[in-house]
Amino acid sequence: MEHKRSKTSPYKGEWRPFFRKLPWLLLIPVFYGLTWLAQKYPDMTEKLYSSSVYPYISRALGYASSLTKSVSVAECLVLALVIALLVLIAVHVIKLISGRLRFARFMSFIMGLCVFASFMFALFYIYWGFNYMRPSLYQRMDLSIEKRPVEELNALCIKLASSAGEARAQLKEDENGVFTFEAGYKKEFSKIPAAYRLLSADQPIFSGTVYPAKGVRLSEGMSYGGISGIYIPYTAEANVNIDQPPLLIAASAAHETAHYLGVAREDEANFVSYLACTYSLDASVRYSGTMLALINSANQLYKCDKQLYDTLVSEYYSEAMLRDIADYNKYWDTYEGPIEEAVDNMNDTYLKFNKQEDGVNSYGMMVDLLLAYYAS
């Protein structure tokens, strides 16, 4: 008996690659569920991840990225990735429109991009993100966060302003009478690891090898987004906007370095930045960190009691400090606009997604940490 062979369609199974990739998207709900568990059991997160697994991850990634010295591996990778994605998407779209690419193959390509995003989402938490769910810093430092009278806040501001003025008197100025570095930002960044070593001698929870921050070549682009620095978990690098005025560059470097040590929350990183800078033997680093703390604290004082704030500025801010603040504000004012607003909204969403319920407003918590620290 003769059997007729059925004809095989050249497009049979063309959707198979698409559906094979589909299960990998489960990484997103799986890791989101893990973050929920990590938030619900912060002590478990501390024990199983932040104080055990994470230090090895950060040490390995940090050492690898430090081999490029002052060149940001993250910046190079991001630029390469953006260019590669734009080229790949353009090529696939052109092929689809011209009929040289089947729709199923195009969708398989799109699914591949989604799978890549899923892996990056998972790696974010594996490499660093679970630190958002560890116990709060005030608990790990045994500090008491409580409502304090405005007089106590005013006393803190006076203390910070006096310390800042003392450090500022030792520093170099440019032709406009504004604080500037003696030897450039790279030299400034190199002072931060030493400050952290001194801090860890008194506060062992901040111990660990850290590497100098790296300046971003496309820093002006960061300024348009209102970004002074960013920590990249995939390469364990502290990246700093070097286009901004010198006033808070060292504090920004110390802030991003705090992220390397597993201090994920922004308000806590600001507080640790201040602590580390105050331990520095260099006046410019101490000044930058103290001004970061003073600006945050004085802003809160202004909201609580404008008269006390006016007295603080008139009696305790030196003329040099006021010039530095004016120069800093003038710089950032020029970059205000829709791009900054859009980035700010994205950052707010990101912070809330990672359990910082106050979003961008959570930065104010730094003042509570400062008050608790000096009250202890």
Side-chain angles (χ1 to χ4, degrees), residues 11 62 103 112 128 153 169-170 174 187 213 230 232 235 245 257 312 317 336 351:
Y11 306 118
F103 182 70
W128 184 74
L153 173 59
Q170 307 173 45
D174 63 15
K187 182 68 174 178
I230 185 170
I232 306 298
T235 57
T257 302
L312 170 74
Y317 281 41
E336 286 185 350
L351 294 174

Side-chain angles (χ1 to χ4, degrees), residues 138-139 143-148 365 368-370 372-373:
Y138 74 85
Q139 294 172 309
L143 298 177
S144 177
I145 298 295
E146 58 188 65
K147 188 174 182 179
R148 300 178 187 276
M365 178 64 176
D368 291 331
L369 288 165
L370 285 165
Y373 178 75

Side-chain angles (χ1 to χ4, degrees), residues 268-311:
E268 295 180 354
N270 270 343
F271 171 68
V272 175
S273 170
Y274 163 73
L275 286 185
C277 288
T278 59
Y279 274 82
S280 176
L281 301 179
D282 189 272
S284 63
V285 176
R286 292 198 306 274
Y287 177 61
S288 186
T290 304
M291 286 301 291
L292 173 66
L294 176 60
I295 290 170
N296 279 269
S297 301
N299 286 343
Q300 292 299 316
L301 182 63
Y302 179 86
K303 294 176 183 178
C304 296
D305 192 319
K306 188 177 182 301
Q307 185 175 352
L308 283 177
Y309 172 83
D310 290 339
T311 302

Side-chain angles (χ1 to χ4, degrees), residues 239-287:
N239 292 267
V240 177
N241 178 344
I242 54 175
D243 193 60
Q244 64 177 309
L247 179 62
L248 297 185
I249 281 187
S252 295
H255 172 107
E256 303 308 330
T257 302
H259 286 322
Y260 176 86
L261 293 175
V263 180
R265 299 177 181 118
E266 295 297 322
D267 44 26
E268 295 180 354
N270 270 343
F271 171 68
V272 175
S273 170
Y274 163 73
L275 286 185
C277 288
T278 59
Y279 274 82
S280 176
L281 301 179
D282 189 272
S284 63
V285 176
R286 292 198 306 274
Y287 177 61

Side-chain angles (χ1 to χ4, degrees), residues 52-95:
S52 56
V53 175
Y54 172 71
Y56 291 101
I57 294 173
S58 61
R59 196 175 305 154
L61 292 174
Y63 173 76
S65 61
S66 72
L67 297 177
T68 63
K69 302 300 181 183
S70 60
V71 177
S72 171
V73 176
E75 182 179 16
C76 295
L77 289 177
V78 168
L79 289 174
L81 181 62
V82 169
I83 293 171
L85 283 175
L86 291 175
V87 171
L88 283 172
I89 291 172
V91 168
H92 279 75
V93 169
I94 291 171
K95 284 185 175 181

